[in-house]
DNA sequence: TACCAGGAGAAAA
DNA sequence: TTTTCTCATGGT
C-alpha cells in the first residue's frame, strides 16, 4: 500500500525554524558516533529499542574481540557473537540480525559496493533483510551511505506531536515522506537534524526519565520552542 | 522494586 | 489487516 503522504505535510518554514532553534540550543552534533560506515551499520542494529550507552559497551566488546567486521561476525558462532553484544540487550535477537545484515553485505560485495546502487533500489533491498526495519535501514542509508533519507524515530514522533505538526498516528513512511518533501535533499542537514532531535530528547530525559508523552516541554521552553 | 528505552518480526485476533 | 506479544540489559 502506498504511504498516506497527505496526512503529514509540514511547511518547510516550520521544519527549518525548528531545526535552527535546536541547532542554536545544542550546536553541531557531527553524527553518527562511529569510526567507519560498517560500525554505523552495526550500531544501527544494536541500538534498536536500546539506549546508546548500552550500544557503546557492545561495540567496544566487538572491537576488543576483533569482531567488528563482516567476516568476523559471519565466522563467529551465535553464542560468541551474542556474548559480545550482551550489554546492548536482546542479544540473541540482535546476534541473528547482525548475521543477516552481514550475510547481505557479503553477498553484495561489502558496504562500499552498495555505493553504486540508487537509493530507490538499495532501500527496498535493505528492508528485505530480516531484522532491518525502516529506521535501521534509514540509519544505514543516511549515516553510512550518505543518502538523503530522513530518519524517523520515537523522539522525532514525540517532537512532532508536541509541536502540533503531527497527530502521532502517522506511520513511518508518512512521516519520512513529509520531511523529505518539505526539506531540501541535503545529507548534512538530515544527519544534523536527526542528531539534534536525539540530543534534545537526551537533555531532557537525563533529568526526567519518566516524563511520559510530554518529555520535551522543559527544554522546549528553555530554548524558545513552544 | 518497577518501569522505561532511538525496533522489528512473529503470532494471534 | 491490525493488534499483541516477545526479545533483555542498564539506568533511574
Amino acid at each position: 500500500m502506498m504511504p498516506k503522504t497527505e496526512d503529514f505535510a509540514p511547511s518547510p518554514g516550520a521544519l527549518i525554524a525548528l531545526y535552527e532553534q535546536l541547532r542554536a540550543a545544542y550546536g553541531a552534533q557531527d553524527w553518527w558516533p562511529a569510526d567507519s560506515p560498517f560500525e554505523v551499520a552495526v550500531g544501527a542494529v544494536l541500538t534498536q529499542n536500546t539506549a546508546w550507552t548500552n550500544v557503546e559497551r557492545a561495540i567496544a566488546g566487538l572491537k576488543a574481540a576483533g569482531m567488528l567486521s563482516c567476516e568476523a561476525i559471519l565466522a563467529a558462532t551465535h553464542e560468541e557473537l551474542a556474548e559480545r553484544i550482551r550489554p546492548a540487550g536482546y542479544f540473541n535477537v540482535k546476534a541473528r540480525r547482525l548475521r543477516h545484515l552481514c550475510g547481505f553485505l557479503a553477498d553484495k560485495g561489502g558496504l562500499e559496493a552498495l555505493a553504486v546502487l540508487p537509493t530507490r533500489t538499495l532501500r527496498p533491498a535493505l528492508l528485505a533483510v530480516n531484522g532491518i526495519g525502516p529506521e535501521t535501514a534509514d540509519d544505514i542509508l543516511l549515516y553510512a551511505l550518505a543518502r538523503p533519507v530522513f530518519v524517523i524515530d520515537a523522539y522525532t514522533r514525540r517532537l512532532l506531536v508536541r509541536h502540533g505538526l503531527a497527530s502521532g498516528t502517522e506511520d513511518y513512511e508518512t512521516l519520512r515522506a513529509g520531511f523529505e518533501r518539505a526539506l531540501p535533499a541535503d545529507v548534512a542537514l538530515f544527519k544534523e537534524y536527526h542528531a539534534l532531535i536525539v540530543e534534545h530528547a537526551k537533555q531532557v530525559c537525563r533529568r526526567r526519565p519518566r516524563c511520559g508523552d510530554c518529555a520535551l516541554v522543559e527544554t522546549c521552553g528553555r530554548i524558545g520552542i513552544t
Side-chain angles (χ1 to χ4, degrees), chain A residues 3 25 52 59 69 75 86 92 97 104 110 121 123-124 126 128 136 140 150 165 174 178 183 185-186 192 196 207 221:
Chain A
W52 183 254
I59 289 178
S69 71
R86 176 180 284 270
N92 283 314
R97 291 177 180 176
F104 167 78
T121 302
R123 190 169 191 271
L126 280 169
T136 307
I140 294 170
F150 202 92
L165 294 169
T174 298
L183 297 173
D186 181 333
E192 196 64 9
L196 284 165
R207 297 191 302 274

Side-chain angles (χ1 to χ4, degrees), chain A residues 207-224:
Chain A
R207 297 191 302 274
R208 299 174 59 196
R210 297 183 194 177
C211 42
D213 61 359
C214 202
L216 307 175
V217 172
E218 186 177 338
T219 297
C220 285
R222 182 165 62 80
I223 70 174

Side-chain angles (χ1 to χ4, degrees), chain A residues 15-94:
Chain A
L15 292 186
I16 290 295
L18 185 56
Y19 169 78
E20 288 177 347
Q21 287 175 297
L22 290 167
R23 175 86 179 209
Y26 303 115
Q29 300 300 302
D30 194 26
W31 255 37
W32 182 290
D35 295 332
S36 68
F38 181 72
E39 187 176 326
V40 171
V42 170
V45 171
L46 294 179
T47 198
Q48 292 171 354
N49 207 33
T50 301
W52 183 254
T53 51
N54 295 347
V55 176
E56 287 177 326
R57 291 190 186 92
I59 289 178
L62 287 173
K63 282 184 177 175
M67 288 172 61
L68 194 56
S69 71
C70 239
E71 298 75 18
I73 286 173
L74 289 172
T77 65
H78 172 84
E79 289 72 21
E80 287 171 336
L81 182 55
E83 189 55 35
R84 291 298 172 185
I85 65 172
R86 176 180 284 270
Y90 304 109
F91 50 83
N92 283 314
V93 172
K94 290 176 180 176

